[in-house]
Amino acid sequence: MAISTIFQKIINKEIPANIHYEDELCIAFDDIRPQAPVHILLIPKKEISSHREVGEDDQSLMGHLIVKAKEIALKQGLKEGWRLVVNTGNDGGQTVYHIHIHILGGRPMKWPPG
Ligand code: AMP
């Protein structure tokens, strides 16, 4: 079990967020410090601290997130494409230890990401 984070408070509606999508498994909301015109975080309601902790039991949940990320990106009108990012651990630049997919779009993305 992960230690509860600020994202758990968003799931519990204890702090505000601009929510774009929610179902029984996941919730998507605007990043508070957007790095692109569209910057949405999609998180499972299950407390998984990082990609490192994803297990065999999470296969269908992770697939669900990938499908919903596509739907959210298309609903945002990102016809030219988008980028999904899952920062993991210190080297990955992770700051909130509740696994999340960044959905970034609305401008061309650079590579390498830095
Ligand atoms: P990461 O660095 O990959 O762990 O991403 C964490 C993200 O959470 C950062 O992009 C933050 O801007 C974002 N963030 C932190 N607190 C909040 C919050 N209360 N509401 C929305 N986004 C947040």
Side-chain angles (χ1 to χ4, degrees), residues 2-98:
I3 297 163
S4 283
T5 67
I6 192 100
F7 290 173
Q8 190 60 45
K9 291 192 166 67
I10 290 174
I11 293 168
N12 295 342
K13 312 285 165 55
E14 291 165 10
I15 62 167
N18 186 26
I19 295 169
H20 291 276
Y21 178 79
E22 181 171 13
D23 63 24
E24 70 281 9
L25 295 175
C26 66
I27 185 167
F29 52 89
D30 279 331
D31 195 294
I32 207 166
R33 284 182 289 277
Q35 303 301 317
V38 173
H39 188 173
I40 294 172
L41 300 173
L42 174 60
I43 69 173
K45 291 186 174 174
K46 179 178 177 183
E47 286 190 291
I48 300 171
S49 59
S50 82
H51 193 201
R52 194 195 310 270
E53 277 68 44
V54 169
E56 293 288 330
D57 291 352
D58 299 315
Q59 283 194 44
S60 88
L61 175 60
M62 291 301 121
H64 182 74
L65 292 180
I66 291 292
V67 171
K68 291 302 160 189
K70 179 197 77 170
E71 292 176 6
I72 290 163
L74 291 175
K75 198 170 171 198
Q76 290 294 313
L78 301 179
K79 296 190 190 73
E80 300 300 323
W82 57 85
R83 180 173 289 178
L84 304 184
V85 173
V86 182
N87 294 327
T88 304
N90 284 336
D91 277 3
Q94 185 174 6
T95 58
V96 178
Y97 278 77
H98 182 127

